[in-house]
Amino acid sequence: MIIVFFIFFPFLSLIPTTISQSPTCNGISISYIHNSGFQIPPAATDPADQPYNFQSTLTLTNAAADRLNSWRVFVGFQHREVLVSVSNALFADGTSLPANVTGGAVLVGFPVTDLKTAVETAGDFNQMQARMQLVGTQFGVAPPDASLPANMYLVNDGFLCSAPSSPANNETHVCCEKDPNATPVDNEEEIFNARQEGDIVIMYDVVSSQETEYTAQVTVSNHNPLSRLDYWRLSWDWMRDEFIYSMKGAHPSIIDTNACIFGRQGEFYKQLDFSEALNCERRPTIVDLPLDKANDEKLGSVPFCCRNGTLLPPLMDPSKSVSAFRMRVFKMPPDLNRTQLIPPQNWRINGTMNPDYECGPPIRVSPTRLPNPSGLTVDSTSVASWQVVCNMSRTKPDTPKCCVSFSTFFNKSVVPCSTCACGCNTANTCSTTAPALLLPSKALLVPFENRTKMAVNFAKDNDWALPDTLPCADNCGVSINWHLLSDFKDGWTARMTVFNWGETSFPDWFAAVELDKAMTGFEEVFSFNGSRLTGSNNTVFLHGLPGLNYLVAEKDGRKPKKDPRVPGSQQSVISFTKKNIAGINVAKGDGFPNKVYFNGLECSLPSSLPISSRGPEPSATFGSIPFTLVLLLFLHKLF
């Protein structure tokens, strides 16, 4: 009798059929393989504009001695690629698919964010390797030619990457090894990623965890000294069908549970009353609560909550630069485990009249220490913590929101904000290219539509030519006048006036003025709260004094049928010394700002300065001390 033995080796299933790894790489191997492609419509007359489908595989393999946490890889696409599908990864900046990746893109791992080592997994490539299937459109590379990236490298700190290998078999490789000169990390940072700095830092801290739900605290902190957020709106994507059951300290912009009732959530949580839940959107938008809810036991009672959506710079008030809320999150199968915690992805935050921000992916960091809710003088640690870093977009907005005018005590003309400084309505019967007309000083106090006659008469009185079509308005909601008030041998002064021509008031307003040559001599601000900006040697930071930090909106004059509307305004004198500043010439330009910011947004500056070749003219009355007193009295009577 013949006995046949069948021997099974279950561990063999862990070995992939193909291994995309550079055989000589003792670090992180990056491989890009062009698998296939074909021509797609429409047909193009120019071969360079013909679109083609491409399907590729991007593989990261950890052949190093240390684990790679929160991997991030840059792929330098170069054929106007549009990615339509990406498996096992997300865009680092939260971009949604389909995405134009011309110029390259940074991908991050999801749901697997870390690559373990061969030593700790006994060579298990399922844990050592991340493999992404890419499907998209590219232009001008017809099969069988391969569409390969120009370069690839790890974005993670502390690595040096080789140049891509010469293409062979429609693939290319890069090897990234530890930089021997990189700063070593401590033991804690080997387990968790080091915390990063950014303009806005968001912490996602799980403070308690059960099998089917957990409680998370979300903390948003403003770290930029010149930025603020007003009426912030925060959004993210749930990746595992989670939903928000309850919140304190903030609220979804829409209460909607229909997706749960008619979806998987309703089938699984059959006994749950979804009328008590808050939001089942895959991408919810969260808004702050008003101030009067701060001590509400049901809706508020979370430290740093309920600021009506305002985040101030930390220099103004550190306690008002932070916003926080808590939420109860329900999970779905197969994540029914206390330790199975997956943060939401693709974070976005914005506000009104604020800069645009780009947020990175959530990065696992060491547990956050939080104040003990019982009031004891000890800290409690979170169950798990992730950090999201958001930085201002480097792309400047199309049009500024504020503008600056210049004037001096020795020149009777005001150099106003530029034509269409904050955008133009082309339907208006005005010139968008004609330079703005010089103004008399009193014109600064009235709206633009009431300045036209003043500006025309001022030009005629001075025998200045007028354009055939008068220039359009600046259309700025906020304008700032910077006026050289005096210039002496040992020092000088400037007067700064902020005008609000809009319908929205600005509580806790602030401004910043860059003076490259003169800032060394900064001494004192008399009617604003002013100081040198921390970490800068050329910027003064200004904001309203307590009780005077509210820049009101434009309103009707005392006699609305007769008087023009009146802007909200605040004004202060700033003094400077010339001691130990060699070669400073205030009148010739050193006394004028290089940049001006209002509430974190850069303002438009005039293209010329009101300087005089004859030097100061004491007989000129504009900007003199009497004029300043008249202006202050005039504004006082109006308000």
Side-chain angles (χ1 to χ4, degrees), residues 7 90 94 102 110 119 124 162 174 178 199-200 265-266 282 300 307 324 363 434 446 462 478:
I7 302 176
L90 298 169
T102 300
F110 183 85
V119 172
D124 180 2
S162 65
V174 165
K178 280 290 186 70
D199 294 323
I200 298 289
Q265 297 90 339
R282 186 177 186 273
R307 300 285 174 72
I363 302 298
V446 298
N462 289 276
V478 172

Side-chain angles (χ1 to χ4, degrees), residues 129-270:
Q129 195 174 79
R131 181 172 295 188
M132 292 143 278
Q133 301 299 330
L134 312 181
V135 179
T137 301
Q138 55 85 22
F139 292 84
V141 182
D145 292 338
S147 172
L148 298 175
N151 60 341
M152 303 182 295
Y153 57 84
L154 274 183
V155 181
N156 300 65
D157 294 334
F159 285 89
L160 295 175
C161 297
S162 65
S165 63
S166 299
N169 299 321
N170 292 342
E171 64 181 282
T172 183
H173 297 267
V174 165
C175 182
C176 300
E177 297 182 323
K178 280 290 186 70
D179 182 358
N181 298 319
T183 304
V185 297
D186 57 31
N187 291 333
E188 183 179 13
E189 291 178 335
E190 289 179 0
I191 302 174
F192 300 105
N193 290 279
R195 297 185 181 226
Q196 304 294 319
E197 282 296 324
D199 294 323
I200 298 289
V201 174
I202 303 171
M203 290 302 304
Y204 191 82
D205 297 307
V206 176
V207 296
S208 66
S209 179
Q210 290 78 42
E211 288 186 357
T212 60
E213 63 179 272
Y214 65 86
T215 299
Q217 175 166 309
V218 180
T219 306
V220 185
S221 304
N222 181 14
H223 290 200
N224 189 296
L226 291 180
S227 175
R228 66 181 286 159
L229 278 172
D230 293 289
Y231 306 106
W232 58 256
R233 296 170 66 86
L234 182 67
S235 61
W236 59 72
D237 284 336
W238 294 117
M239 307 303 291
R240 311 285 287 186
D241 291 334
E242 303 96 328
F243 62 93
I244 303 171
Y245 190 81
S246 62
M247 296 185 74
K248 296 185 68 174
H251 215 266
S253 60
I254 298 176
I255 298 177
D256 183 6
T257 59
N258 287 336
C260 285
I261 295 173
F262 298 102
R264 292 181 59 231
Q265 297 90 339
E267 294 179 3
F268 182 75
Y269 292 101
K270 295 182 182 296

Side-chain angles (χ1 to χ4, degrees), residues 229-233 288-290 306-311 323 354:
L229 278 172
D230 293 289
Y231 306 106
W232 58 256
R233 296 170 66 86
D288 200 8
L289 292 178
C306 315
R307 300 285 174 72
N308 206 29
T310 296
L311 283 174
S323 201
N354 298 127

Side-chain angles (χ1 to χ4, degrees), residues 320-334:
K320 293 183 179 180
S321 67
V322 180
S323 201
F325 60 89
R326 289 197 174 196
M327 60 183 178
R328 185 180 173 193
V329 179
F330 275 77
K331 301 185 293 183
M332 287 289 293

Side-chain angles (χ1 to χ4, degrees), residues 343-419:
Q345 302 286 325
N346 299 334
W347 291 70
R348 285 282 185 272
I349 190 166
N350 55 43
T352 60
M353 196 179 169
N354 298 127
D356 293 327
Y357 293 89
E358 294 180 353
C359 298
I363 302 298
R364 184 75 180 268
V365 295
S366 59
T368 301
R369 293 182 179 181
L370 301 168
N372 193 294
S374 65
L376 298 176
T377 56
V378 294
D379 291 335
S380 300
T381 58
S382 62
V383 177
S385 295
W386 288 265
Q387 184 190 55
V388 178
V389 176
C390 305
N391 289 308
M392 288 186 194
S393 172
R394 296 183 180 179
T395 303
K396 290 187 176 181
D398 293 336
T399 56
K401 305 295 183 182
C402 54
C403 63
V404 179
S405 62
F406 288 152
S407 54
T408 72
F409 67 91
F410 56 81
N411 192 316
K412 60 185 178 181
S413 303
V414 177
V415 181
C417 296
S418 302
T419 303

